[in-house]
């Protein structure tokens, strides 16, 4: 009955089909894949509501654990744009898929709120000019653009390419700033995607 968990699992179906296309559903099998991250992001966007703020802590699976929405839930930290609540950066990745996902979701959640701060927030998914919906579109389009078996920086670059294709790069500086804040800026090195 936890809507966040249902949205999370639904997210796996989306990321597995968009990355590499529907005929290559095994494209998220590498060591630095972000599948759990996209699924947590889906959980957050599908349960966001008017009045929320990026700094508010948001847990995953909190209902299932009988916690308040701002609890840790089934993750090491709740999601928040506040670095004192969630300090995860690129240096915090490790081979465990959920730990990887937490770092990826954290930067996507930061992007969601940075774009909402710039262009406004709209709880409906139909307003394509609202910042939160611009972010959702960029993330989904990025999954379509990125290579099979992507690493974090491949995912970042795909979001930048999506913004270039859709918005003529209008958000490039903001995207770079958001990713740089979490250790995935211009000078970050991905190394092996495994």
């Amino acid at each position: 009955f936890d809507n966040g968990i249902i949205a999370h699992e639904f997210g796996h179906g989306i990321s597995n089909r968009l990355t590499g296309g529907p005929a290559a559903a095994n494209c998220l099998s590498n060591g630095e894949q972000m599948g759990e991250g996209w699924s947590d992001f889906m959980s957050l966007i599908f349960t966001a509501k008017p009045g929320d703020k990026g700094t508010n802590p948001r847990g995953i699976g909190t209902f299932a654990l009988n916690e308040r929405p701002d609890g840790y839930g089934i993750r090491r930290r709740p999601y928040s744009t506040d670095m004192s609540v969630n300090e995860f950066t690129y240096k915090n990745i490790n081979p465990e898929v959920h730990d990887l996902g937490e770092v990826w979701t954290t930067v996507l959640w930061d992007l969601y709120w940075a774009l909402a701060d710039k262009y406004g927030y709209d709880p409906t998914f139909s307003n394509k000019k609202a910042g939160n919906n611009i972010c959702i579109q960029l993330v989904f389009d990025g999954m379509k653009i990125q290579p099979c078996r992507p690493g974090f920086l491949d995912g970042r670059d795909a979001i930048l390419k999506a913004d270039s294709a859709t918005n003529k790069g209008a958000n490039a500086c903001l995207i770079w700033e958001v990713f740089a804040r979490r250790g995935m800026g211009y000078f970050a090195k991905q190394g092996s995607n495994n």
Side-chain angles (χ1 to χ4, degrees), residues 22-125:
N26 65 347
C27 273
L28 296 178
S29 59
N30 57 302
E32 198 173 290
Q33 61 90 5
M34 300 88 81
E36 295 296 334
W38 285 303
S39 287
D40 276 5
F41 181 66
M42 306 249 183
S43 178
L44 294 172
I45 64 173
F46 284 125
T47 58
K49 58 188 180 310
D52 285 353
K53 293 184 170 71
T55 55
N56 295 349
R58 292 279 310 279
I60 301 294
T62 54
F63 180 83
L65 295 178
N66 199 29
E67 292 179 356
R68 294 174 39 88
D70 61 355
Y72 279 39
I74 56 176
R75 300 292 179 245
R76 296 175 295 165
R77 302 277 187 284
Y79 293 110
S80 173
T81 60
D82 183 341
M83 295 286 276
S84 68
V85 174
N86 185 324
E87 76 284 6
F88 290 152
T89 66
Y90 196 37
K91 72 178 181 181
N92 297 109
I93 66 168
N94 67 58
E96 202 283 319
V97 294
H98 296 93
D99 292 354
L100 280 168
E102 289 174 332
V103 177
W104 187 244
T105 304
T106 298
V107 73
L108 295 181
W109 196 232
D110 285 358
L111 183 60
Y112 180 91
W113 286 106
L115 286 164
D117 288 346
K118 183 175 180 178
Y119 297 110
Y121 173 88
D122 191 321
T124 69
F125 292 107

Side-chain angles (χ1 to χ4, degrees), residues 143-183:
M143 282 187 266
K144 297 173 194 174
I145 295 170
Q146 70 193 359
C148 194
R149 294 174 187 77
F152 278 45
L153 302 187
D154 294 324
R156 175 205 64 196
D157 293 348
I159 290 170
L160 284 160
K161 286 178 186 173
D163 184 60
S164 180
T166 306
N167 306 309
K168 298 182 180 168
N171 303 301
C173 288
L174 181 145
I175 294 167
W176 276 113
E177 289 169 8
V178 167
F179 275 89
R181 182 172 173 255
R182 296 288 181 171

